[in-house]
Amino acid sequence: MRHIAIIGSGPAGYYTAEACQKQFGDDVRIDIIDRLPVPFGLIRTGVAPDHQSIKAVARRYEAVALSDNVRFVGKLAIGRDVSIPELLALYDAVVLATGAPSDQPLGVPGEHLPGVIGSAAFVGWYNGHPDYADLAVAVDGRAIAIIGNGNVALDCARILAKSAAEFAGSDIVNHARDLLAASQPRSITILGRRGPQQIAMTPKELGELGRLERASAHVDPADLPPPASDEVLEPGQRKSVALLREFAQDHAEKAVPIRFDFFAQSVRIEGDGRAERLVLQRTQLGANGDAVGTGETYAVPANLIISCIGYRTPPIPDVPYDERRGRFANVEGRIMPGLYCVGWARRGPTGTIGTNKPDGFMIAEEMAADQPVPSGKQGRAGLDALISTRGLDIVTFRDWQKIDLAEIERARAGAPREKFVRVEDMVAASRI
Ligand code: NAP
């Protein structure tokens, strides 16, 4: 029997489990381990609460989770409760599918002032991640600056701009909905260090910004290059830029203006004990398409600043780490004999949820090539012995199903669920 431990129960973890089932058939036992008592990682706490159709993919993961040779071990932190060398001694293969849940630092003076947060924290807060349940966010009357031109920046702007009614059918947690419903930002500025043709925003998500009840999107026509230059863009990017061109033509301003400020690189954050202003430097595109400072600086008022500039994978003790890239040191997913990584922990925070699927299959094939015959290790029996010796209180998939039901039962009218935001409440719901 081949024993595999997958650390992380998000898309990368479940696609890897599915690939291992296909690769090894009945000859495999898979433990999917998560530090939280609830599965599905980014699907639960990353995907925007008003994008429920994307979350439907969790049903596919559930089918994998309920198969006989897969189990979920929740509330077990690898590197704290159990070490990587211990897991390597018990399993034929250990796969790190831990994602990239930490914010990339901005790297400018003032970034630690109150009022400056990263998207991991803000998204975690409105999505009910226990790590961010107590984040203090003030939105009402604020001039909000969102740094970054990717889809996460769009998610943050849209959630901040929506009216209470626009959260109908979403699973935004009550603490965020209540605060946002009672707030109206003064303005939202989305800052890109490069230009409109260099955005990393996809058309569907950008289009949503143009259809908000109380917010309107604005682009300065002077920032747009000649329309003919869009022809060389790939079709998706061309559609996104076309939407920016529409925003530039629409001058009707609603209560919450969302302004795109392109060619703007953050220089520092200023304020008396908390963020008040963001100082920026104008940029222009360099010969290889990068942002080059022009030396011209200016300031925008900003008393809530959210940086949406990408993520890092936190290191785990005993695992080689690539500090510069912010992920595990690996060659095509191989870290060291028996230890692999997949998804964002392997390749960084890019791509869609589906991008993780081929990743999982690649790793399953590598495992088969690296170790054609299982080594006779103990697998889950050995892990259970460790858990019992250490008196650890883990959560199973059946326990999660109880949490799931309890969350569905306590949902406000029209919402799919009301998440528990504290680990102890999740555990309590699982013990009923
Ligand atoms: P992203 O797509 O990589 O975008 C990051 C943005 O941050 C880029 O505009 C980048 O600009 C900018 N940036 C990086 N460092 C910066 C700095 N020091 N100063 C200013 N700007 C900086 O990352 P993301 O938005 O975090 O999204 C992560 C992945 O999840 C992406 O693949 C995204 O498409 C996906 N996602 C999808 C959805 C959806 O489909 N609904 C929603 C959310 C996220 P440069 O281009 O100049 O580097």
Side-chain angles (χ1 to χ4, degrees):
M1 184 62 65
R2 185 182 297 261
H3 293 283
I4 298 172
I6 297 173
I7 321 306
S9 66
Y14 272 103
Y15 284 126
T16 303
E18 195 181 322
C20 290
Q21 285 182 313
K22 294 211 168 107
Q23 182 78 39
F24 303 116
D26 293 335
D27 190 32
V28 70
R29 292 282 176 277
I30 302 162
D31 283 351
I32 301 182
I33 301 171
D34 205 295
R35 75 183 174 96
L36 289 182
V38 291
F40 307 141
L42 193 85
I43 301 295
R44 179 180 167 99
T45 57
V47 171
D50 56 347
H51 282 172
Q52 286 298 311
S53 59
I54 300 179
K55 292 185 189 243
V57 72
R59 283 195 212 109
R60 177 176 176 151
Y61 308 152
E62 202 167 58
V64 175
L66 290 170
S67 28
D68 290 342
N69 56 358
V70 175
R71 73 168 181 170
F72 173 70
V73 185
K75 203 160 119 8
L76 186 70
I78 300 308
R80 184 192 68 195
D81 298 332
V82 173
S83 72
I84 289 289
E86 284 170 331
L87 284 186
L88 287 171
L90 292 173
Y91 291 85
D92 295 287
V94 176
V95 185
L96 303 176
T98 48
S102 302
D103 283 305
Q104 194 73 258
L106 262 177
V108 300
E111 73 172 307
H112 301 296
L113 282 172
V116 185
I117 55 177
S119 53
F122 185 61
V123 172
W125 172 75
Y126 65 63
N127 267 333
H129 194 298
D131 288 357
Y132 303 108
D134 296 319
L135 189 78
V137 190
V139 172
D140 197 39
R142 305 283 154 147
I144 302 174
I146 295 180
I147 302 172
N149 270 181
N151 281 329
V152 170
L154 283 178
D155 279 350
C156 292
R158 188 180 71 254
I159 295 294
L160 284 161
K162 276 195 164 181
S163 66
E166 287 174 296
F167 288 120
S170 82
D171 67 349
I172 187 167
V173 290
N174 276 337
H175 67 222
R177 181 181 168 276
D178 292 348
L179 185 133
L180 295 171
S183 309
Q184 183 166 302
R186 175 150 46 105
S187 62
I188 298 173
T189 307
I190 301 179
L191 295 141
R193 63 180 170 183
R194 298 192 291 155
Q197 290 180 332
Q198 286 73 42
I199 57 172
M201 298 166 166
T202 43
K204 180 180 162 289
E205 285 65 29
L206 192 54
E208 286 176 81
L209 217 60
R211 298 189 296 273
L212 294 173
E213 215 169 73
R214 65 172 185 183
S216 47
H218 305 276
V219 168
D220 182 348
D223 281 341
L224 290 163
S229 64
D230 292 354
E231 275 165 29
V232 295
L233 302 175
E234 60 87 21
Q237 191 72 348
R238 208 179 311 144
K239 274 192 202 160
S240 294
V241 177
L243 284 162
L244 294 177
R245 293 190 186 283
E246 281 177 26
F247 296 162
Q249 274 163 21
D250 186 358
H251 302 296
E253 192 161 299
K254 297 186 187 170
V256 182
I258 303 174
R259 291 205 174 78
F260 284 82
D261 189 355
F262 293 106
F263 303 108
Q265 174 121 46
S266 310
V267 174
R268 65 182 175 275
I269 295 157
E270 295 178 343
D272 188 7
R274 58 169 300 115
E276 289 169 14
R277 282 175 306 283
L278 177 58
V279 178
L280 297 143
Q281 173 174 209
R282 274 280 166 242
T283 64
Q284 55 192 23
L285 286 183
N288 51 1
D290 53 346
V292 180
T294 61
E296 177 198 342
T297 58
Y298 64 104
V300 294
N303 32 28
L304 173 61
I305 298 175
I306 306 176
S307 69
C308 305
I309 61 165
Y311 298 111
R312 293 170 71 84
T313 297
I316 296 180
D318 306 305
V319 181
Y321 190 73
D322 182 339
E323 192 61 50
R324 193 175 63 82
R325 293 194 170 85
R327 52 191 196 243
F328 300 119
N330 75 93
V331 178
E332 293 190 337
R334 290 182 173 99
I335 300 176
M336 58 167 80
L339 185 61
Y340 303 84
C341 55
V342 287
W344 283 10
R346 172 176 87 80
R347 64 190 152 75
T350 57
T352 63
I353 287 158
T355 315
N356 295 300
K357 205 173 155 197
D359 252 38
F361 279 86
M362 182 184 89
I363 289 298
E365 280 170 18
E366 287 181 3
M367 279 179 203
D370 294 349
Q371 198 183 349
V373 182
S375 61
K377 290 183 180 175
Q378 281 184 64
R380 59 176 64 166
L383 181 66
D384 287 346
L386 266 184
I387 288 170
S388 158
T389 315
R390 291 180 189 168
L392 300 168
D393 182 27
I394 60 147
V395 166
T396 66
F397 203 78
R398 296 273 167 226
D399 294 332
W400 148 247
Q401 287 178 310
K402 289 189 200 163
I403 302 172
D404 189 25
L405 270 183
E407 289 187 342
I408 293 168
E409 271 171 18
R410 65 202 284 269
R412 60 180 178 268
R417 68 177 61 244
E418 180 57 38
K419 291 175 200 162
F420 293 107
V421 302
R422 303 204 182 272
V423 167
E424 55 273 26
D425 293 340
M426 295 171 184
V427 174
S430 77
R431 302 294 183 238
I432 290 167

